């Protein structure tokens, strides 16, 4: 019988807005979380807010401090301070010195996403980049929204809400001329997910979730407006 | 002064004469120094001193700092390139000519910043000779193990002080370690 894997112990470095809300969210979902914050006053404030969370006051780049956090049994370390260099070093120490299998780093300067990947961070997340993508799609292609990054492959999930008079309505999924590397993985119809077979017809009001390897929103958009 | 990997003092060594000592026609070696291209991140006391020395030796130097005012340390007639920007930003490093640099040093006052800048130089741009200053001896050791060339002034300084206490010999002043500041005022 398959045993449901236990939720990993998550160590969060940095108790700013991102770290705080992340900790709260993960605790609500039943994760064991420890939050590391170097500023004592901030740590006390978080402690008052969250109550149940375990908070430790210390620097995420100090080996001696990290060793006291139980880091070696952590399944994931998330470094989300406002400084890229601190996040990078915290993740590298976690991975190289404490054998943490998965490291996630907040990247503040979006051009550093690639750098972080080169330097061994498993998942670099740039809120700025995500936001820019969202705003960009709001500006140019109002029906297209760049979604979440898909683990490992570097692809994105793109959410396409079809405009009312879309030329796609009535066509089969197999007839959509999407570029290579793009695939409709789900149709959201009346708020419910539908698995799209090749013969499924696109209906008025549908929302398409597209797995996009190219991230070339222009091309996807063009393909969908044909 | 010779230090082992942990910065403990293990012996003395005379350091070869420095370039300014060779400058008199009598002692100047015939061999010309091959000029190198060097990018320095951080224009504090160490960065500015290093930059000035290397420019004086005829090398091509670019120095990066976030604060324009930091470049005042170089003096008005500095013959290298000054780039305002973050040393952990690829674009800024490109502007400083890192793509064709032979040497790289990161000497800002932030250990992590230095570590990240040096890793970008080494692993993203493939600069051959990269070194970074790390004040925290533990991080210096960790990154040395990982393969980054590091220099830790904390252990070196402590070892010098310890040596003075034990032997009455101040290596930093007696010429065993050269502390000349070439042209830098900081």
């Amino acid at each position: 019988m398959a045993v449901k894997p236990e939720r990993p112990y998550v160590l969060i470095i940095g108790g700013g807005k991102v770290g705080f809300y992340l900790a709260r969210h993960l605790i609500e979902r039943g994760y064991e979380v420890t939050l590391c914050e170097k500023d004592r006053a901030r740590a006390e404030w978080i402690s008052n807010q969250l109550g149940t969370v375990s908070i430790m006051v210390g620097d995420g780049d100090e080996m001696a401090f990290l060793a006291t956090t139980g880091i070696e049994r952590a399944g994931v370390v998330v470094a989300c301070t406002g400084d890229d260099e601190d996040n990078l070093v915290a993740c590298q120490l976690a991975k190289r010195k404490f054998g943490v299998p998965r490291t996630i780093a907040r990247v503040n300067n979006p051009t550093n996403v690639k750098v972080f990947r080169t330097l061994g961070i498993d998942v670099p997340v740039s809120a700025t980049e995500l936001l820019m993508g969202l705003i960009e799609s709001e500006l140019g292609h109002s029906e297209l929204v760049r979604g979440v990054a898909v683990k490992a492959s570097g692809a994105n999930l793109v959410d396409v809400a079809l405009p009312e008079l879309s030329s796609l309505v009535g066509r089969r999924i197999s007839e959509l001329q999407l570029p290579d590397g793009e695939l409709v993985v789900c149709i959201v119809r009346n708020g419910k997910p539908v698995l799209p077979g090749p013969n499924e017809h696109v209906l008025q009001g549908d929302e398409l979730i597209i797995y996009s390897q190219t991230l070339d929103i222009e091309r996807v958009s063009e393909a969908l407006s044909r | 002064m010779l230090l082992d990997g942990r910065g403990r003092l293990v012996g003395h060594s005379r350091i070869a004469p420095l370039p300014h000592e060779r400058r008199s026609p009598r002692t100047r070696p015939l061999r010309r120094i091959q000029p190198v291209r060097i990018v320095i991140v951080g224009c504090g006391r160490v960065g500015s001193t290093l930059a000035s020395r290397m420019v004086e030796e005829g090398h091509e130097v670019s120095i990066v700092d976030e604060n324009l005012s930091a470049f005042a340390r170089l003096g008005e007639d500095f013959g290298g390139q000054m780039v305002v920007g973050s040393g952990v930003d690829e674009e800024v490093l490109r502007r400083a000519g890192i793509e064709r640099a032979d040497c790289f040093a990161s000497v800002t006052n932030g250990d992590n910043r230095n570590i990240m800048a040096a890793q970008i130089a080494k692993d993203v741009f493939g600069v051959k000779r990269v070194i970074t200053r790390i004040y925290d001896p533990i991080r210096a050791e960790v990154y040395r193990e990982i393969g980054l060339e590091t220099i830790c002034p904390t252990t070196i300084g402590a070892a010098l002080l310890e040596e003075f206490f034990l032997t009455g010999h101040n290596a930093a002043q007696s010429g065993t370690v050269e502390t000349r500041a070439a042209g830098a005022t900081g």
Side-chain angles (χ1 to χ4, degrees), chain A residues 104-147:
Chain A
I104 302 175
R106 172 182 168 198
V107 183
N108 298 280
N109 172 354
T111 62
N112 277 336
V113 171
K114 239 178 76 193
V115 171
F116 270 46
R117 227 173 252 132
T118 308
L119 300 181
I121 307 306
D122 297 305
V123 187
V125 182
S126 163
T128 319
E129 195 184 51
L130 290 174
L131 211 64
M132 287 195 307
L134 282 172
I135 291 170
E136 191 189 352
S137 47
E138 286 299 327
L139 289 175
H141 322 275
S142 56
E143 71 277 24
L144 274 171
V145 172
R146 198 190 302 224

Side-chain angles (χ1 to χ4, degrees), chain A residues 61-64 84-86 88-89 92-93 96-97 109 111-112 114-116 118-119, chain B residues 88-91 111-116 119-120 123-124 136 138-139 142-143 145-146:
Chain A
D61 52 22
E62 296 275 359
M63 290 286 292
D84 285 355
E85 56 267 32
D86 295 349
L88 176 77
V89 168
Q92 286 182 328
L93 294 179
R96 307 269 199 138
K97 297 308 287 183
N109 172 354
T111 62
N112 277 336
K114 239 178 76 193
V115 171
F116 270 46
T118 308
L119 300 181
Chain B
V88 292
D89 186 313
E90 276 179 295
E91 205 36 59
D111 279 356
N112 294 346
R113 184 159 278 249
N114 290 343
I115 290 167
M116 181 169 170
Q119 289 187 92
I120 295 176
D123 297 334
V124 177
D136 174 14
I138 296 163
R139 251 172 290 170
V142 168
Y143 278 91
E145 278 168 23
I146 289 175

Side-chain angles (χ1 to χ4, degrees), chain B residues 107-156:
Chain B
V107 287
T108 74
N109 55 17
D111 279 356
N112 294 346
R113 184 159 278 249
N114 290 343
I115 290 167
M116 181 169 170
Q119 289 187 92
I120 295 176
K122 184 167 178 269
D123 297 334
V124 177
F125 290 105
V127 179
K128 288 208 180 66
R129 194 166 281 185
V130 174
I131 193 159
T132 182
R133 177 187 62 191
I134 306 178
Y135 282 116
D136 174 14
I138 296 163
R139 251 172 290 170
E141 178 89 28
V142 168
Y143 278 91
R144 196 174 298 136
E145 278 168 23
I146 289 175
L148 206 60
E149 204 63 58
T150 65
I151 187 159
C152 180
T154 312
T155 42
I156 294 173

Side-chain angles (χ1 to χ4, degrees), chain A residues 52-180:
Chain A
T52 50
V53 73
S54 129
I55 298 181
M56 298 189 70
V57 181
D59 243 327
D61 52 22
E62 296 275 359
M63 290 286 292
F65 167 72
L66 284 177
T68 65
T69 62
I71 186 172
E72 58 296 318
R73 62 181 186 85
V76 187
V77 164
V78 187
C80 48
T81 76
D83 289 311
D84 285 355
E85 56 267 32
D86 295 349
N87 294 340
L88 176 77
V89 168
C91 284
Q92 286 182 328
L93 294 179
K95 193 154 203 93
R96 307 269 199 138
K97 297 308 287 183
F98 296 102
V100 175
R102 201 162 173 75
T103 52
I104 302 175
R106 172 182 168 198
V107 183
N108 298 280
N109 172 354
T111 62
N112 277 336
V113 171
K114 239 178 76 193
V115 171
F116 270 46
R117 227 173 252 132
T118 308
L119 300 181
I121 307 306
D122 297 305
V123 187
V125 182
S126 163
T128 319
E129 195 184 51
L130 290 174
L131 211 64
M132 287 195 307
L134 282 172
I135 291 170
E136 191 189 352
S137 47
E138 286 299 327
L139 289 175
H141 322 275
S142 56
E143 71 277 24
L144 274 171
V145 172
R146 198 190 302 224
V148 283
V150 180
K151 210 153 93 176
S153 70
N156 261 238
L157 287 179
V158 180
D159 181 4
V160 185
L162 294 179
E164 256 183 49
L165 296 168
S166 170
S167 59
L168 299 184
V169 171
R171 289 214 244 166
R172 293 171 202 269
I173 288 293
S174 57
E175 291 167 358
L176 305 184
Q177 293 171 343
L178 285 168
D180 273 350

Side-chain angles (χ1 to χ4, degrees), chain B residues 12-182:
Chain B
H12 292 282
S13 67
R14 280 290 311 180
I15 284 180
L18 277 144
H20 79 291
E21 296 167 335
R22 300 198 298 250
R23 201 163 294 125
S24 82
R26 218 157 27 91
T27 54
R28 185 176 186 157
L30 291 171
R31 186 179 58 87
R32 278 185 64 88
I33 311 164
Q34 191 69 34
V36 293
R37 298 193 181 100
I38 172 167
V39 173
I40 299 166
V41 166
C43 191
R45 289 189 173 92
V46 173
S48 60
T49 305
L50 176 64
S52 297
R53 278 171 86 135
M54 297 209 60
V55 165
E56 217 174 285
E57 290 306 314
H59 301 293
E60 201 181 300
V61 175
S62 272
I63 184 157
V64 178
D65 202 292
E66 278 189 320
N67 296 313
L68 185 64
S69 56
F71 296 122
R73 288 196 176 91
L74 295 165
E76 275 179 17
D77 52 355
F78 176 67
Q81 188 198 1
M82 293 167 277
V83 178
V84 182
S86 162
V88 292
D89 186 313
E90 276 179 295
E91 205 36 59
V92 173
L93 293 173
R94 264 195 208 98
R95 268 196 277 139
I98 197 168
E99 282 157 311
R100 44 189 202 94
D102 310 297
C103 303
F104 178 94
S106 44
V107 287
T108 74
N109 55 17
D111 279 356
N112 294 346
R113 184 159 278 249
N114 290 343
I115 290 167
M116 181 169 170
Q119 289 187 92
I120 295 176
K122 184 167 178 269
D123 297 334
V124 177
F125 290 105
V127 179
K128 288 208 180 66
R129 194 166 281 185
V130 174
I131 193 159
T132 182
R133 177 187 62 191
I134 306 178
Y135 282 116
D136 174 14
I138 296 163
R139 251 172 290 170
E141 178 89 28
V142 168
Y143 278 91
R144 196 174 298 136
E145 278 168 23
I146 289 175
L148 206 60
E149 204 63 58
T150 65
I151 187 159
C152 180
T154 312
T155 42
I156 294 173
L160 281 168
L161 296 172
E162 186 187 7
E163 185 192 14
F164 174 70
F165 290 152
L166 297 179
T167 68
H169 170 76
N170 182 356
Q173 223 167 48
S174 65
T176 353
V177 170
E178 179 60 52
T179 51
R180 180 183 69 115

